[in-house]
Amino acid sequence: MANSFSSSCSPSMKFDFDEKPHVLAADDNLIDRKVIERLFINSTCKVTTTENGKRVLEYLGLADGQHPNHNDLKVNLIITDYSMPGMTGYELLKRIKESPTMKEIPVVVVSSENIPTRINQCMQGGAQEFLLKPLRLSDATKLRCHIKKLNNPLQGGFAGEDDHA
Amino acid sequence: MDSVVLLQRQLVDYTAQLFNEGFLDDQFNQLQQLQDESNPDFVVEVVTLFFEDSERLLNELAKALEQQSIDYRKIDAHVHQLKGSSSSIGAQRVQKVCIAFRNYCEERNIEGCQKCLQQVKNEYSLVKTKLETLFKLEQQVLAAGGSIPWPM
């Protein structure tokens, strides 16, 4: 898919529907799913929400017994809550990073608890970023910029360079 | 025209009061900012979800604390949910009680837990009433032909 973005990342940029980044979010809390959805739709992304890690893996075709199908699948960012029943956000992160087909997708872990060992664990595990809940509009805007940079090789951008928060 | 201005002033004052008294925090403002013409009812929708979810959790908590053998992990899981959703909508006082509640769970302190359940029910009931009043005031402003002066 050709990227024809200009080099600035301003909120006034318009995108074709096809070019909207697709965010896949996992959170077991219904209210949080609704807020995440709105945060990213307002930041001009397509959003799919799920309630746990297993659903994310199923969506990506990585669940046990599945064959990964990356023909039509376009996911530009995965956001996962840390504390979820069944599989933590960290465990989900590891599964994604172990997948040859999906490991390039940036994974952001969010948590309501500010626990340094947890944060380190996720960053060591390959998380793009670790954010504290509740998420704010500035978080979504910042992540939106990162997606754009990561998708556009000409930018050579790396998360955290330009902070327009 | 005067009545619109009056109603708007009422709304602004009432909202400020809720923030001053700690019922709401900045996260509520964040939600207001997410609302726009394409999503004019977002805040009411999220808050309504919060009401439904909280009532379910409070029922579960009451049941769990009545059991012969208390399952503290289950109670903690419910309180964690309630803490999360109250934090996400900016219901600060509810969130604060949840933090204390989780500490009592960790200590397996049944009396502390029961006390917190009562407290969280009270705080929930208060913030529910106040948010419903806030939404009513908004409706009055809109009905009088005014617009909602968010964010404040």
Side-chain angles (χ1 to χ4, degrees):
Chain A
M1 220 174 288
N3 281 343
S4 54
F5 307 138
S6 71
S7 57
S8 68
C9 189
S10 71
S12 61
M13 287 178 70
K14 295 194 176 34
F15 299 102
D16 293 341
F17 182 82
D18 279 346
E19 291 178 6
K20 277 191 192 175
H22 183 198
V23 176
L24 179 57
D27 198 309
D28 60 328
N29 187 302
L30 175 60
I31 285 87
D32 286 345
R33 285 201 294 281
K34 187 150 174 98
V35 173
I36 281 187
E37 182 185 61
R38 182 59 20 208
L39 278 173
F40 281 96
I41 289 179
N42 276 20
S43 300
T44 63
C45 296
K46 275 167 36 184
V47 184
T48 303
T49 57
T50 63
E51 52 183 40
N52 57 46
K54 181 157 164 262
R55 295 261 178 271
V56 170
L57 292 178
E58 282 167 5
Y59 188 89
L60 295 172
L62 295 180
D64 298 334
Q66 275 183 315
H67 295 293
N69 169 20
H70 45 278
N71 290 334
D72 297 326
L73 198 61
K74 189 193 85 156
V75 174
N76 301 100
L77 177 71
I78 295 172
I79 295 206
T80 176
D81 191 20
Y82 183 91
S83 313
M84 293 187 294
M87 187 189 294
T88 65
Y90 173 71
E91 287 160 352
L92 176 61
L93 165 70
K94 295 296 285 175
R95 289 287 292 265
I96 292 167
K97 292 303 164 187
E98 279 161 15
S99 155
T101 48
M102 301 295 166
K103 66 181 180 177
E104 296 305 319
I105 305 175
V107 180
V108 171
V109 182
V110 302
S111 175
S112 56
E113 291 162 305
N114 189 351
I115 300 174
T117 48
R118 177 182 288 187
I119 299 173
N120 285 337
Q121 181 196 45
C122 290
M123 296 312 287
Q124 297 293 338
Q128 184 69 34
E129 218 167 320
F130 188 103
L131 295 174
L132 290 178
K133 283 166 115 174
L135 290 183
R136 307 160 65 85
L137 198 50
S138 57
D139 293 320
T141 312
K142 185 170 78 170
L143 289 177
R144 177 71 186 79
C145 273
H146 288 176
I147 298 174
K148 199 179 85 64
K149 283 187 188 168
L150 289 168
N151 276 353
N152 191 341
L154 293 177
Q155 300 282 339
F158 202 77
E161 266 181 21
D162 290 333
D163 252 319
H164 298 288
Chain B
M1 188 59 180
D2 274 344
S3 62
V4 171
V5 173
L6 239 112
L7 286 168
Q8 282 173 328
R9 161 57 53 79
Q10 243 188 311
L11 175 60
V12 170
D13 287 347
Y14 189 71
T15 310
Q17 196 188 327
L18 294 186
F19 277 86
N20 288 341
E21 291 172 359
F23 285 103
L24 295 176
D25 65 26
D26 188 58
Q27 187 61 17
F28 189 76
N29 282 331
Q30 292 287 317
L31 294 189
Q32 297 288 2
Q33 285 181 45
L34 290 175
Q35 187 164 284
D36 57 25
E37 307 80 45
S38 69
N39 241 266
D41 301 315
F42 175 69
V43 181
V44 171
E45 283 169 10
V46 178
V47 171
T48 304
L49 276 179
F50 168 71
F51 290 161
E52 290 166 0
D53 202 52
S54 300
E55 274 154 39
R56 177 186 63 88
L57 288 168
L58 290 172
N59 282 337
E60 294 294 325
L61 283 167
K63 268 196 272 180
L65 282 169
E66 280 164 14
Q67 300 305 310
Q68 286 281 37
S69 161
I70 308 277
D71 186 346
Y72 284 102
R73 271 186 51 177
K74 188 156 150 197
I75 294 177
D76 184 71
H78 290 322
V79 178
H80 176 80
Q81 286 291 314
L82 186 57
K83 175 173 157 272
S85 37
S86 57
S87 161
S88 292
I89 69 148
Q92 189 183 71
R93 279 162 64 150
V94 174
Q95 184 196 355
K96 286 202 169 132
V97 179
C98 287
I99 294 172
F101 203 151
R102 290 193 80 192
N103 287 337
Y104 283 125
C105 278
E106 216 177 290
E107 294 166 15
R108 302 174 79 85
N109 181 333
I110 177 84
E111 269 165 31
C113 285
Q114 280 164 343
K115 193 183 77 177
C116 276
L117 177 59
Q118 205 44 54
Q119 257 184 296
V120 83
K121 276 164 117 167
N122 288 344
E123 288 299 342
Y124 167 71
S125 180
L126 280 169
V127 81
K128 178 165 193 261
T129 305
K130 289 177 189 291
L131 283 168
E132 284 170 342
T133 304
L134 188 95
F135 293 145
K136 252 195 211 98
L137 284 171
E138 278 185 359
Q139 285 310 306
Q140 285 173 355
V141 169
L142 292 172
S147 59
I148 310 293
W150 299 127
M152 303 193 187

